[in-house]
């Protein structure tokens, strides 16, 4: 039997201060998420105004964390992520996605 070329996943995108990336990654790890990508020096505009990666210290730097999450563990991820966002701020977006298997 041939393997299905696509697998249903949830796409999770989190934008958070660089200082709090480890808290998000710990939450993902604790939920069993086995992979992620961190894009440093993300810039944009939001409720805290402009965020630009041009500071010397990196204190005001944002990071984008992107991962594909199995739907079975998504509730555990959101339960763990919500307090991190409430405490440190940030944005999390969740959408349906297709993982292209190879």
């Amino acid at each position: 039997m041939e393997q299905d070329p696509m697998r249903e996943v949830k796409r999770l995108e989190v934008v958070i201060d660089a200082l709090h990336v480890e808290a998000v990654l710990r939450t993902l790890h604790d939920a069993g998420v086995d992979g992620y990508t961190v894009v440093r020096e993300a810039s944009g505009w939001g409720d805290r105004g402009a965020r630009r990666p041009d500071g010397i210290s990196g204190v005001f730097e944002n990071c984008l964390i992107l991962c594909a999450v199995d739907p079975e563990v998504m509730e555990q991820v959101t339960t763990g992520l919500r307090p991190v966002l409430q405490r440190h701020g940030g944005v999390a977006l969740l959408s349906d996605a297709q993982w292209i298997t190879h």
Side-chain angles (χ1 to χ4, degrees):
M1 185 167 155
E2 189 174 314
Q3 181 182 359
D4 187 356
M6 307 269 246
R7 181 169 59 108
E8 299 283 335
V9 294
K10 298 292 185 180
R11 177 184 170 125
L12 177 65
E13 300 170 78
V14 179
V15 177
I16 196 160
D17 288 342
L19 298 171
H20 306 298
V21 167
E22 289 304 318
V24 174
L25 299 182
R26 196 169 32 255
T27 299
L28 295 174
H29 181 267
D30 290 349
V33 176
D34 58 2
Y36 59 83
T37 299
V38 177
V39 180
R40 301 212 179 264
E41 299 183 353
S43 62
W45 180 269
D47 60 354
R48 293 180 290 165
R51 306 289 282 184
R52 294 190 180 91
D54 54 3
I56 295 173
S57 68
V59 172
F60 298 110
E61 176 183 303
N62 274 342
C63 293
L64 168 66
I65 302 164
L66 173 65
C67 59
V69 179
D70 286 323
E72 298 81 35
V73 301
M74 199 62 238
E75 186 174 340
Q76 185 178 351
V77 170
T78 56
T79 299
L81 189 56
R82 190 168 281 116
V84 174
L85 296 172
Q86 287 172 339
R87 182 169 190 192
H88 303 296
V91 175
L93 301 173
L94 180 63
S95 57
D96 294 327
Q98 298 282 325
W99 185 285
I100 301 173
T101 57
H102 51 354

